Amino acid sequence: MSGDVILDVREMMVSFSARRAGRKYRVQAVDGVSLSLAQGEVLGIVGESGCGKTTVGRTIVGLVQPGSGTIKFKGTEMIGAGSSSLRAMRLNVRMVFQDPNASLNPRRTIGDSVAEAGDISGFFKSRAERSAAIAATLTGVGLNPSFATRYPYELSGGQRQRVGIARAILPTPSIVIADEPVSALDVSVQAQVLNLMMDLRDQLRLSMLFISHDLGVIGQISSRVAVMYMGRVVEQAGTRTVLEHPLHPYTRALVAAIPKPDPSKRILGAIETGEPPSLFTRPHGCAYAPRCPIASDRCLVDVPTLRSVGTDGRTIACHNV
Amino acid sequence: MLSVRDLTVSVGPETAPVDIVAGVSFDLAKGEILGLVGESGCGKSMTSLAVMGLLPQPGPRVRAGRVLLEGSDVTQLQPWQRVEAGHGRMAMIFQEPMTSLNPVRRIGDQIAEAVRVHEGISGAAALSRARELLELVRMPDPGMQLSAYPHQLSGGQRQRVMIAIALACRPQVLVADEPTTALDVTIQVQILGLLRELCNRLDMAVLFITHDMGVIAQLADRVSVMYAGRIVETAAVDALFGEPRHHYTRGLMDCMPSRNSGVRRLPTISGQPPVPGTVAAGCVFALRCAAVHDECRVAAPPRLEASQGHEVLCAFPLAGGELP
């Protein structure tokens, strides 16, 4: 796999300053995350709100500055790169946002929004080429090319998210960071958009970082999953391995808490999941220890690091598994 | 306990009303959780607001139909009129507790306020009842939390506070509109468990509104599926998931990723729901239905009883026993 690694993130650290009750705090949103993505691979990142999964995505596309760490695109370091080489790389690393209503400019036509990255980079040689590229991209995401002259308010939520995807794949990117791209959509539309993303993955050989809180959705589209908890990856393995045999106690709770659409498999009252942590008072030792059913004394003092376990490239950060 | 009959909620001018809820009927018994499931815009939230007498004004209005609480017609009564008339024992919880709670008041005072309105007690007695309510919703450390502000609580704890406020009127009927949608799955499972426990313990009737079929399967006793302002199928939860009869219900289940582990492509329902007021005749689902007949486009579908307690609004329903 190492031969065709297209994105390599090492020891990413991101912190924000925040103010609570008159005191200044430093919140460590991402605490030493390392990930790698191969050409054509979809890596899912799953975790609860506040676990840092969105910050990882935003840092990779350059919307957030990391405190330390490296982000290499095809072997070239992105952090601190010169503006021209950074611009070229950014054209290859693109983002799809959760809420297409918020991410599309209501006063620009769909065509202008879709072509924006190409316009900025001077990709289009002529107006005709630009229109043709817009039309082809819209068709590629299942929209009528005539949508190019329309405005976002004229579209449904599912159509807007198709536009959100279209603007992330023109000009052809190598990596798409998709941050909860189907969470705002109804299930019937969600399935349509997921199918589209799987088609694009196959047709364009796209690599994707697919960020979601929904393990069902992640299980559908990604081949590997990284589970994040309080800024750290606690388990990473093939998707089926994680869903069918979760090892880390947090992953187990997460998988067990998915509401299964089967009334004969009721879980209410049967599982214990604990209170989520406060980002301001990070526990010593393992961040999951206060909620963990198998925590031992060691977990309260000693932060577990990722180690390889079993097959399928599984890594896990837990003392007691 | 609660009977809703042919409820029709309309917007637009009196002369040309557009029905966003069209002839919805259901019954809700003591100690029962009825799940009302559908996609955004199907009218499920409007139904719940109309049942509560909380439709925004000016705006949508109940054009026809009745809401009966223990046999008394409360359809046209405002919430305060209901309290005065002695029908005040209905409460509602919403999706986002942060927007429902007052950010600058301590939660103990906010719960005590509801206690004062409904029980006529105040001061220390109301606060002590507030503490009881926090214990009832299994808030950790209830005595301490009385003096907390909403921003000091987690999302799950805030929803517990909302439930405590709702329980202040000792409700016979609790309407819950997507109360766990904004929560993480690990917290969702706790709140759903709490609602089930409270329903059993207090013998409440719960109308639970959601878009999530998984949540419905976990929580509800019976389920009504809504589409374009109509209830298209109602059944006991086992029957609905075991033998869905409406093509829309079946489609909703088929396109859930968690029911499709390992398949290459997800089944989808083509198209989108109709814009309210645009379906003139025939079945509202005809445009998207894979099994559509010519008749469906012209004649309104009949409400058939597929089996005891299993109703479907379709002229050509799925046969029973189709799903494993």
Side-chain angles (χ1 to χ4, degrees):
Chain A
M1 195 186 83
S2 58
D4 58 348
V5 166
I6 185 166
L7 180 76
D8 191 48
V9 175
R10 288 289 139 224
E11 292 300 319
M12 181 197 286
M13 304 283 268
V14 183
S15 63
F16 299 108
S17 60
R19 195 177 273 279
R20 278 289 184 284
R23 277 187 60 193
K24 261 190 156 173
Y25 289 84
R26 203 79 199 150
V27 174
Q28 194 70 42
V30 181
D31 191 12
V33 164
S34 299
L35 300 166
S36 66
L37 194 58
Q39 178 84 48
E41 182 189 41
V42 181
L43 171 65
I45 300 186
V46 71
E48 292 172 291
S49 44
C51 74
K53 57 189 189 298
T54 291
T55 306
V56 168
R58 294 177 73 92
T59 307
I60 292 170
V61 292
L63 292 171
V64 175
Q65 287 305 311
S68 64
T70 63
I71 303 172
K72 284 190 176 138
F73 172 70
K74 291 186 175 167
T76 314
E77 178 58 50
M78 290 179 84
I79 298 171
S83 60
S84 61
S85 62
L86 192 59
R87 186 167 287 191
M89 281 189 279
R90 286 221 176 125
L91 212 50
N92 290 298
V93 184
R94 307 283 287 281
M95 188 139 183
V96 176
F97 297 92
Q98 172 170 357
D99 185 353
N101 303 326
S103 53
L104 289 174
N105 186 334
R107 297 179 60 172
R108 301 188 74 186
T109 62
I110 299 302
D112 284 346
S113 282
V114 169
E116 189 174 9
D119 289 340
I120 292 171
S121 62
F123 177 81
F124 304 115
K125 300 286 174 281
S126 66
R127 290 197 70 81
E129 186 192 318
R130 180 178 183 270
S131 326
I134 294 170
T137 307
L138 287 176
T139 310
V141 298
L143 293 175
N144 192 308
S146 70
F147 275 42
T149 54
R150 296 216 213 162
Y151 288 89
Y153 74 89
E154 298 177 85
L155 275 56
S156 71
Q159 289 170 336
R160 275 182 217 147
Q161 194 55 297
R162 286 175 192 267
V163 173
I165 294 168
R167 66 191 303 222
I169 59 170
L170 179 72
T172 40
S174 311
I175 301 172
V176 167
I177 314 284
D179 187 7
E180 303 268 12
V182 297
S183 303
L185 306 175
D186 281 313
V187 273
S188 69
V189 182
Q190 177 179 302
Q192 296 170 4
V193 173
L194 275 179
N195 282 341
L196 168 67
M197 295 187 80
M198 289 188 277
D199 290 344
L200 293 173
R201 170 194 67 192
D202 299 342
Q203 287 162 14
L204 306 175
R205 286 263 290 152
L206 279 184
S207 310
M208 269 192 249
L209 203 60
F210 194 99
I211 299 163
S212 177
H213 70 283
D214 187 334
L215 266 173
V217 169
I218 293 253
Q220 186 62 38
I221 194 163
S222 39
S223 46
R224 274 192 307 141
V225 188
V227 181
M228 279 187 74
Y229 188 78
M230 281 198 92
R232 288 169 164 262
V233 173
V234 296
E235 181 162 7
Q236 188 179 154
T239 306
R240 294 261 74 81
T241 309
V242 168
L243 284 175
E244 284 158 24
H245 307 288
L247 266 190
H248 193 283
Y250 176 63
T251 317
R252 275 191 254 163
L254 212 52
V255 171
I258 301 172
K260 283 134 200 94
D262 182 347
S264 67
K265 291 185 185 141
R266 290 205 164 173
I267 51 170
L268 299 185
I271 62 169
E272 205 48 64
T273 49
E275 265 295 301
S278 160
L279 292 171
F280 299 101
T281 52
R282 192 185 189 79
H284 295 285
C286 175
Y288 189 61
R291 299 170 79 177
C292 182
I294 58 168
S296 57
D297 290 345
R298 186 182 172 197
C299 306
L300 301 176
V301 288
D302 197 358
V303 180
T305 50
L306 281 170
R307 60 190 164 89
S308 292
V309 171
T311 52
D312 197 22
R314 164 143 41 193
T315 53
I316 178 169
C318 179
H319 296 307
N320 297 330
V321 170
Chain B
M1 180 55 58
L2 178 73
S3 273
V4 173
R5 287 285 163 271
D6 297 316
L7 186 70
T8 299
V9 178
S10 309
V11 291
E14 299 280 347
T15 46
V18 172
D19 296 344
I20 50 179
V21 175
V24 161
S25 299
F26 58 84
D27 290 302
L28 189 53
K30 270 187 181 176
E32 180 188 50
I33 300 181
L34 174 68
L36 191 57
V37 66
E39 297 181 275
S40 35
C42 74
K44 57 192 191 298
S45 285
M46 281 299 155
T47 302
S48 67
L49 290 172
V51 165
M52 289 298 297
L54 288 174
L55 285 174
Q57 288 181 335
R61 61 195 179 274
V62 176
R63 191 168 65 82
R66 290 184 303 163
V67 177
L68 303 168
L69 187 62
E70 283 194 297
S72 307
D73 192 340
V74 297
T75 320
Q76 299 299 342
L77 298 183
Q78 300 287 312
W80 60 272
Q81 292 169 317
R82 294 181 181 195
V83 174
E84 283 188 348
H87 305 302
R89 294 175 62 190
M90 283 172 90
M92 185 160 182
I93 54 175
F94 300 90
Q95 175 170 340
E96 187 32 82
M98 202 57 203
T99 56
S100 312
L101 290 168
N102 185 334
V104 297
R105 291 187 64 200
R106 295 178 196 278
I107 62 157
D109 295 338
Q110 300 193 50
I111 304 170
E113 179 182 10
V115 172
R116 273 199 301 278
V117 169
H118 290 281
E119 312 242 304
I121 53 175
S122 56
L127 264 183
S128 120
R129 171 76 181 138
R131 187 194 161 129
E132 271 176 45
L133 288 166
L134 281 183
E135 282 165 14
L136 191 61
V137 299
R138 303 198 175 280
M139 177 74 104
D141 210 354
M144 283 277 290
Q145 301 288 29
L146 280 176
S147 57
Y149 289 95
H151 75 266
Q152 295 170 315
L153 305 179
S154 67
Q157 288 173 338
R158 282 181 209 137
Q159 198 55 281
R160 285 178 199 272
V161 171
M162 286 310 299
I163 297 170
I165 292 174
L167 295 180
C169 71
R170 303 178 193 271
Q172 297 161 303
V173 177
L174 178 70
V175 177
D177 187 358
E178 304 257 14
T180 60
T181 305
L183 304 176
D184 286 311
V185 283
T186 50
I187 308 306
Q188 167 169 277
V189 67
Q190 297 174 1
I191 299 293
L192 295 178
L194 173 67
L195 285 172
R196 169 47 81 188
E197 180 199 330
L198 291 170
C199 171
N200 294 348
R201 234 168 100 186
L202 308 174
D203 215 15
M204 280 190 305
V206 177
L207 178 62
F208 190 95
I209 289 135
T210 183
H211 68 284
D212 188 330
M213 293 293 266
V215 167
I216 284 287
Q218 291 295 320
L219 184 69
D221 298 307
R222 283 192 306 130
V223 188
S224 287
V225 181
M226 268 189 96
Y227 184 78
R230 287 145 183 90
I231 289 181
V232 295
E233 183 164 10
T234 297
V237 66
D238 295 322
L240 191 97
F241 282 86
E243 295 186 350
R245 300 302 185 102
H246 199 282
H247 300 274
Y248 177 61
T249 311
R250 177 70 195 266
L252 270 187
M253 288 178 189
D254 283 350
C255 56
M256 293 189 68
S258 48
R259 269 179 99 104
N260 288 286
S261 61
V263 299
R264 190 91 188 92
R265 288 184 69 81
L266 291 168
T268 59
I269 305 174
S270 64
Q272 302 147 37
V275 175
T278 56
V279 179
C283 172
V284 284
F285 190 58
L287 284 171
R288 302 175 75 186
C289 185
V292 64
H293 291 61
D294 289 343
E295 188 185 328
C296 305
R297 299 181 211 277
V298 286
R303 192 167 292 280
L304 302 175
E305 186 155 18
S307 60
Q308 178 75 34
H310 195 156
E311 282 191 357
V312 57
L313 186 71
C314 180
F316 305 95
L318 290 160
E322 284 214 345
L323 283 185

